[in-house]
Amino acid sequence: MTTQLTIRRPDDWHLHLRDGEMLKGILPSTSAHFGRAIIMPNLVPPVVTKADAEAYHDRIRAAIPADHTFEPLMTLYLTEDTNPDDLQAAADSGLIKAVKLYPAGATTNSQSGVRNFSKIAPVLERMAEIGLPLCVHGEVTDSDVDIFDREAVFIDRVLEPLRNHHKDLRVIMEHITTKDGVDYAKQGGENLAATITTHHLIINRNDILAGGIKPHFYCLPVAKREEHRLALRAAAVSGSDRFFLGTDSAPHNDDNKLCACGCAGIFTAINTMSCLAHVFEEEAALDKLEAFTSLNGPKFYNLPANSERMTLIKRDKPTIFPKQIITGAGNVTVFDPGFKSHWDATLTADCRNN
Ligand code: NCD
Ligand code: ZN
């Protein structure tokens, strides 16, 4: 029985860090484990220009604890008015590593997203030219489409036509939640990949709705039926380089989660690695964990894997995590996976600054 595993330090290819007091409060949960993260730009107002991304990058760097090393990989929020030259300048300078597409109205702070996809064609052409990946929130927003079908419909109505039109565009399907997403990512060729969250490997829609409503399991895209969760698990543990970790850890304070119209988002940054080791062990695939968390992502983004290492140790007693992170912007409830993971993740000493 494996009780210890050393892997390359992981990265998080989809993360919400927010700003101000929330940023300060939750960033250490990520930087304690992850070497880098793709930082989502859905602030209010969103991170739209190179100047916005520079300023946000500085604020994030200022919030990194002195004894942690962490590199925020910035993104721009794609709008119908995005200027291709500004975007290219941000990419050429090395500041941004991707651009995020939110269909308008799809999720938290997506009001400035895209309504008319023909308007973004010039930007997508430029991105294809310079090899800058597009991170896609893949859900249609039409009110006549059932929320549980929105990902599958997006693939047919939006993603397939968009990729046919921009054949060289590199696309990452963010936080896929369905078998349809897995199947589409598999057949997409070398320009297509998909991120999978920790929580979508663990919960299905019954966990949200059966036996009482659980606001802390509500996120977007919403968790689907069990057959979809199983398809995601199979993809994550397959070792296929099309799939890698993007936690979509998305903190909201409890006041905003526990109310009549609660926010979408699950906070998993602090216990993701422990939960994933448990999941991969359940699937008899601990040998594939490193590919999922530490190798496949950098490969798609054309970045080197981290040189530092993380050791995961299976202890006799379950690993204890705080139930909440207390921040200056309110309390954030930590994802409860519904099992006790005995896996404890620590970085080797040489990952730290001192
Ligand atoms: C995210 C957030 O809160 O910013 N929420 C979520 O449920 N995942 C937005 C997103 O990634 O859809
Ligand atoms: Zn997200």
Side-chain angles (χ1 to χ4, degrees):
M1 190 181 73
T2 309
T3 55
Q4 182 163 333
L5 182 70
T6 296
I7 61 173
R8 296 258 185 178
R9 189 179 183 190
D11 300 303
D12 184 349
W13 299 97
H14 182 130
L15 176 68
H16 298 269
L17 283 180
R18 314 302 189 204
D19 214 341
E21 290 302 312
M22 181 63 88
L23 166 66
K24 284 186 201 139
I26 55 103
L27 174 57
S29 295
T30 287
S31 58
H33 286 161
F34 295 93
R36 298 167 290 195
I38 284 279
I39 310 300
M40 287 296 125
N42 63 332
L43 304 182
V44 188
V47 179
V48 173
T49 63
K50 176 174 185 267
D52 296 339
E54 271 162 358
Y56 188 31
H57 184 250
D58 289 347
R59 298 198 296 279
I60 295 169
R61 286 184 53 82
I64 301 170
D67 59 341
H68 288 189
T69 57
F70 175 70
E71 190 186 352
L73 307 176
M74 307 309 289
T75 62
L76 294 185
Y77 185 121
L78 183 56
T79 74
E80 292 176 7
D81 300 320
T82 295
N83 176 338
D85 294 333
D86 181 68
L87 175 146
Q88 179 163 2
D92 288 349
S93 72
L95 174 69
I96 64 159
K97 295 290 183 281
V99 171
K100 179 68 189 279
L101 167 62
Y102 288 105
T107 186
T108 310
N109 303 336
S110 61
Q111 304 84 327
S112 318
V114 175
R115 287 181 171 77
N116 180 349
F117 284 84
S118 64
K119 290 204 176 154
I120 58 169
V123 175
L124 299 184
E125 270 162 37
R126 185 71 66 87
M127 290 173 61
E129 256 170 58
I130 63 176
L132 187 66
L134 181 71
C135 297
V136 177
H137 183 111
E139 289 189 287
V140 292
T141 53
D142 314 49
S143 56
D144 62 325
V145 179
D146 189 277
I147 191 164
F148 291 101
D149 298 332
R150 288 181 176 190
E151 181 170 298
V153 172
F154 182 89
I155 293 169
D156 289 344
R157 283 194 197 166
V158 182
L159 189 55
E160 175 64 6
L162 184 144
R163 292 187 58 249
N164 272 329
H165 201 257
H166 301 276
K167 290 213 185 311
D168 293 331
L169 184 66
R170 312 193 67 232
V171 172
I172 300 155
M173 301 167 70
E174 296 296 307
H175 43 48
I176 54 170
T177 58
T178 58
K179 182 173 183 306
D180 313 69
V182 169
D183 291 344
Y184 189 76
K186 269 188 196 159
Q187 58 75 55
E190 62 179 18
N191 284 341
L192 188 66
T195 59
I196 301 178
T197 75
T198 310
H199 49 277
H200 287 117
L201 296 174
I202 295 172
I203 60 167
N204 64 24
R205 65 194 210 176
N206 274 9
D207 293 304
I208 312 171
L209 295 169
I213 190 160
K214 317 290 187 326
H216 292 304
F217 287 157
Y218 174 58
C219 68
L220 288 170
V222 70
K224 309 292 192 300
R225 286 176 181 277
E226 178 64 358
E227 67 186 281
H228 296 294
R229 186 184 72 98
L230 295 177
L232 296 171
R233 275 201 175 212
V237 306
S238 68
S240 159
D241 61 7
R242 294 294 153 74
F243 301 101
F244 43 90
L245 174 65
T247 65
D248 196 17
S249 183
H252 294 276
N253 69 33
D254 281 356
D255 288 346
N256 289 325
K257 288 292 290 178
L258 306 176
C259 57
C261 185
C263 291
I266 300 181
F267 180 74
T268 55
I270 196 166
N271 57 352
T272 273
M273 290 310 297
S274 178
C275 289
L276 287 177
H278 181 99
V279 165
F280 276 65
E281 185 182 33
E282 270 182 354
E283 299 291 330
L286 277 172
D287 60 326
K288 301 292 194 313
L289 181 64
E290 183 180 43
F292 183 65
T293 62
S294 317
L295 302 178
N296 296 345
K299 186 173 169 197
F300 190 82
Y301 275 90
N302 290 321
L303 292 168
N306 291 316
S307 55
E308 306 99 328
R309 299 291 194 277
M310 167 178 275
T311 296
L312 293 135
I313 298 174
K314 191 175 181 188
R315 301 199 188 277
D316 292 340
K317 291 197 176 140
T319 308
I320 308 289
F321 294 98
K323 287 200 167 14
Q324 291 188 318
I325 306 291
I326 314 297
T327 81
N331 297 352
V332 175
T333 293
V334 172
F335 174 61
D336 173 2
F339 53 72
K340 289 187 164 51
S341 173
H342 289 242
W343 289 93
D344 191 12
T346 36
L347 296 182
T348 46
D350 63 9
C351 301
R352 302 297 174 97
N353 279 336
N354 52 14

